[in-house]
Amino acid sequence: MGKLDRTFEEFEDGKPFQAPLVGSTRLTLFVVFLLATCNFVLQRFNINFGIVCMHKPLMHHDLLNSHNLNFSNDTNFLENITSGNSGEFLESSSLIISDLSSIDDIAHAPNGSGSEGENSSAERDGVEFHKITKEGCGEGVVRGSPSHGSSEDVKGEFNWSKDTKGGIIAAFYYGLTFSQIPGGWFVDRFGAKSAIMFSQLFLSILSMLNPIAAKLGPEYMFVARLLQGVANGAAMPAINVLATRWCADMERSFLLGVTYAGFGLATAIVYPIAAFFCENVGWEYIFYFAGGTGLLWCVIAYFLVFEWPENHPRIKMQELQFIQKHRAVQYGGVKRQVIRTPWISMLLSIPVWAMLITNFSCFWCFLTISAYLPTYLTEVLHLDISDNGLLSALPFVGMMSFHFFAAAMFDWLRKKKLCSVTVLRKFFNSLGMFSSALSMIGIGLLACNNVIGVVILFTLCQTFLEFAFMAGYLFSIFEIAPKYASSLTALSNTFGLLAGFISPAFVSLLTPDGTRDQWLLVFYLSAGINIFGGLIYLCFGSCTLQPWATGDGTSRTVTDGGNQALTRINSRRIEKELKQLKIQLISGESDVNGRTIVRPN
């Protein structure tokens, strides 16, 4: 019998039926998805560190030439900075005050010993450099090289304003946010495998074009990043659709945990990788690396990703039976069902809105720290490129360390049946979101030059968020409306990713000078948003299958384009044959493929 005949369903009701996970096609599929999400983040977050390397600091001799300033005797210049009027002075003189990250001649602020009102200085070749300190930290910094020196040591190429850089960072999220629902339609129309393949292909090609776009101008870079976001829109809806077809309900948390591990893994490695390329071969290779690995993933996925378990050429009968019996949505009918999403009922559902608001809150915190941690470490703590890359990665290493722990703990407690799934998810969600908010608030209580303490609190913030992601609100999609996982994922991502382009605007607005006090406002705002989202889910969240999500009367059928394997398995003729086969199997007269067993006399 052919491949499509390998569709016998397990029939011993009440008896647990297991198929080994290790070495299975379903585990292989979700490992491929892990590599996909990892690359998605590499291509999304490479700009966060890349833009630090791409930015060209204003050199001290440029200040002398443009503004006729003398660092050693221009008391008006220094008084304006030390008196807290640097913003007014800089605005009137159109002067850019840069950070200290690339100048080896000046000591870094965290290691300095200055006190309030002091000026620390370093001299080389008769030129004096001043670093203005406040509470032991470099709040406003004038940096540069001697007027006769060269700027060749500075690797940056672009003098982009903070608003321009914020717009470029946000551009990806503009495209990604508004392409979620169209991406879900693309998945339904052309299939999940085609959607994720095309998404990754165009995302990678555009990533490799980022350096050219940047050199043409910031507006070209903005468009390139915008198109990358659009290209990435169908990816996660496609993965979630495939998850409903390939996941057994008792394995869903673990297998989706494998997939979502790519987000934390990539965020943990993207900054050290970016720092390495920036220091050794040039910032352009940050984008070439991400795009090249994306193209390699497309080749791997072509051979290992399949739309349906029934169509996989190498799946074993035992595994196929297991998936068919235990997956969240049972696909049936002689004719292929085309899902008609109940958008009105979905948008009027309180549990859906609770999930959407919670998703926005978590995304705000995660994306703000992911996007701006390198900038904060540069502007406030004045770390060099190498230290910045390593320390920026630590919060996401912590996130990865609790990724599977949170999911495993949830599954273990769920099996104990100590409480309902709704109560359990609310507990984990509250633990994650409230603890994350407290960690951000705690940053303001530390000494401003306490680098280790700041990194520890950022690490706790991102680590606690993992409890909300892996054991809290996120996977409730598969419990309140598993049949509409694609549409609900697209809606959830659309709402959550709004934070991706709103956050940069607020960061630019709140940190015009890049001082510590201004950055603390960003963290306090993020903490408040996180607390609000946690309270909403605690009060209104649910993990109960919703009445509108049962699918009754909300689907139509088509006569062509259906999955042939599912058509055959669910036809009346096959159903009669399966009943007969069950009898033959029980009596020992046939094997699982229906072949008659000839017994020796």
Side-chain angles (χ1 to χ4, degrees):
M1 304 179 94
K3 175 179 63 178
L4 297 179
D5 293 315
R6 298 179 300 152
T7 54
F8 177 73
E9 297 179 350
E10 199 275 323
F11 62 89
E12 293 183 74
D13 295 332
K15 182 178 180 180
F17 181 82
Q18 297 292 333
L21 185 61
V22 177
S24 65
T25 57
R26 63 190 188 281
L27 180 59
T28 300
L29 179 72
F30 284 90
V31 169
V32 173
F33 290 162
L34 180 151
L35 298 177
T37 56
C38 185
N39 189 259
F40 295 157
V41 174
L42 283 177
Q43 305 209 48
R44 188 184 307 177
F45 287 175
N46 54 14
I47 191 65
N48 301 340
F49 199 96
I51 208 162
V52 175
C53 303
M54 296 160 66
H55 184 253
K56 180 179 180 180
L58 187 64
M59 305 311 293
H60 147 193
H61 63 279
D62 294 329
L63 300 179
L64 291 174
N65 295 335
S66 301
H67 303 278
N68 296 318
L69 296 176
N70 187 305
F71 285 113
S72 60
N73 58 25
D74 195 327
T75 57
N76 180 52
F77 175 72
L78 295 178
E79 286 174 0
N80 273 282
I81 298 179
T82 56
S83 64
N85 298 324
S86 57
E88 295 178 8
F89 181 81
L90 297 180
E91 183 177 358
S92 63
S93 63
S94 300
L95 177 64
I96 299 176
I97 299 299
S98 301
D99 57 69
L100 207 60
S101 60
S102 298
I103 304 302
D104 296 329
D105 304 275
I106 306 176
H108 300 310
N111 301 321
S113 58
S115 59
E116 184 173 358
E118 287 184 278
N119 294 343
S120 61
S121 64
E123 292 188 11
R124 185 179 73 180
D125 298 331
V127 178
E128 186 176 19
F129 298 82
H130 293 272
K131 172 162 58 79
I132 311 306
T133 62
K134 178 181 179 183
E135 300 177 359
C137 297
E139 292 287 358
V141 180
V142 179
R143 72 166 180 178
S145 60
S147 58
H148 59 276
S150 170
S151 62
E152 291 179 356
D153 291 335
V154 180
K155 299 178 183 295
E157 296 184 25
F158 311 108
N159 288 322
W160 293 339
S161 69
K162 176 161 287 191
D163 287 341
T164 299
K165 291 188 288 184
I168 291 173
I169 290 175
F172 191 101
Y173 298 100
Y174 292 150
L176 184 59
T177 300
F178 294 110
S179 64
Q180 289 296 300
I181 293 177
W185 171 85
F186 189 92
V187 171
D188 292 337
R189 178 66 179 82
F190 298 101
K193 178 176 180 177
S194 298
I196 194 172
M197 291 282 291
F198 279 109
S199 176
Q200 183 68 284
L201 177 64
F202 288 111
L203 179 68
S204 302
I205 293 173
L206 288 166
S207 180
M208 300 182 77
L209 293 176
N210 275 186
I212 297 175
K215 292 175 182 179
L216 290 174
E219 62 276 10
Y220 291 93
M221 187 65 171
F222 179 90
V223 172
R225 298 294 298 179
L226 178 71
L227 292 176
Q228 278 190 278
V230 172
N232 199 209
M236 291 312 299
I239 287 176
N240 279 350
V241 165
L242 290 171
T244 63
R245 299 170 182 173
W246 281 85
C247 276
D249 53 4
M250 70 282 293
E251 295 178 340
R252 183 169 59 243
S253 293
F254 175 77
L255 289 176
L256 285 174
V258 171
T259 297
Y260 282 77
F263 291 109
L265 175 62
T267 315
I269 65 175
V270 63
Y271 296 140
I273 290 174
F276 171 80
F277 285 129
C278 184
E279 285 197 313
N280 294 280
V281 292
W283 60 266
E284 297 92 342
Y285 288 86
I286 298 172
F287 302 98
Y288 295 151
F289 174 80
T293 54
L295 294 177
L296 177 61
W297 182 90
C298 290
V299 176
I300 295 172
Y302 179 81
F303 294 101
L304 296 180
V305 174
F306 291 87
E307 196 84 14
W308 299 88
E310 289 83 356
N311 288 341
H312 199 296
R314 295 178 295 276
I315 192 171
K316 295 180 180 179
M317 174 64 66
Q318 184 183 20
E319 183 179 7
L320 179 60
Q321 294 170 1
F322 175 72
I323 294 172
Q324 288 175 333
K325 182 175 179 62
H326 296 291
R327 57 188 169 195
V329 178
Q330 297 300 324
Y331 299 88
V334 178
K335 301 175 181 179
R336 180 174 65 95
Q337 288 186 325
V338 177
I339 302 300
R340 184 182 300 164
T341 304
W343 287 108
I344 295 178
S345 298
M346 187 181 292
L347 292 173
L348 293 177
S349 172
I350 292 177
V352 167
W353 276 103
M355 185 192 64
L356 296 180
I357 294 172
T358 307
N359 198 37
F360 176 87
S361 301
C362 278
F363 268 52
W364 181 286
C365 180
F366 174 74
L367 294 175
T368 299
I369 293 178
S370 301
Y372 285 100
L373 181 56
T375 303
Y376 176 78
L377 296 181
T378 295
E379 290 188 349
V380 177
L381 299 181
H382 306 297
L383 300 181
D384 60 27
I385 293 296
S386 297
D387 291 342
N388 195 331
L390 291 174
L391 293 180
S392 294
L394 288 181
F396 306 102
V397 173
M399 193 174 182
M400 276 299 301
S401 66
F402 274 76
H403 182 83
F404 289 106
F405 173 76
M409 180 179 289
F410 175 84
D411 286 341
W412 182 76
L413 290 174
R414 185 175 186 172
K415 290 178 182 178
K416 294 292 183 181
K417 297 182 179 180
L418 301 176
C419 58
S420 68
V421 176
T422 297
V423 172
L424 193 58
R425 288 212 183 276
K426 286 183 177 182
F427 168 76
F428 277 98
N429 194 77
S430 299
L431 173 65
M433 297 188 73
F434 297 152
S435 300
S436 177
L438 290 175
S439 299
M440 281 188 287
I441 294 172
I443 294 173
L445 303 178
L446 297 176
C448 60
N449 59 352
N450 188 345
V451 179
I452 300 302
V454 167
V455 172
I456 288 175
L457 286 179
F458 275 127
T459 301
L460 290 175
C461 174
Q462 295 296 74
T463 300
F464 278 118
L465 275 183
E466 200 66 13
F467 286 96
F469 284 136
M470 296 307 302
Y473 77 95
L474 188 60
F475 290 156
S476 62
I477 288 176
F478 298 96
E479 291 152 353
I480 64 176
K483 191 168 186 177
Y484 306 107
S486 174
S487 299
L488 195 53
T489 298
L491 182 63
S492 176
N493 286 345
T494 298
F495 206 81
L497 289 169
L498 288 172
F501 63 81
I502 296 176
S503 172
F506 273 88
V507 172
S508 297
L509 178 66
L510 295 175
T511 62
D513 305 316
T515 65
R516 179 175 184 266
D517 290 341
Q518 291 172 351
W519 277 104
L520 287 179
L521 292 177
V522 173
F523 302 143
Y524 294 155
L525 174 64
S526 299
I529 291 174
N530 233 20
I531 292 173
F532 175 73
L535 289 174
I536 290 295
Y537 193 79
L538 185 62
C539 295
F540 303 108
S542 176
C543 297
T544 303
L545 180 65
Q546 299 301 295
W548 50 265
T550 59
D552 296 337
T554 61
S555 64
R556 61 188 176 88
T557 59
V558 295
T559 57
D560 56 350
N563 182 282
Q564 295 181 3
L566 296 179
T567 299
R568 295 192 60 168
I569 187 176
N570 291 289
S571 66
R572 293 180 179 179
R573 181 177 58 83
I574 294 297
E575 287 177 356
K576 292 180 180 179
E577 293 178 1
L578 287 175
K579 289 179 181 179
Q580 180 63 33
L581 183 56
K582 291 178 184 180
I583 297 173
Q584 292 174 341
L585 277 168
I586 294 172
S587 64
E589 297 176 2
S590 173
D591 63 16
V592 294
N593 289 319
R595 292 186 292 264
T596 301
I597 297 175
V598 179
R599 300 186 182 279
N601 295 328

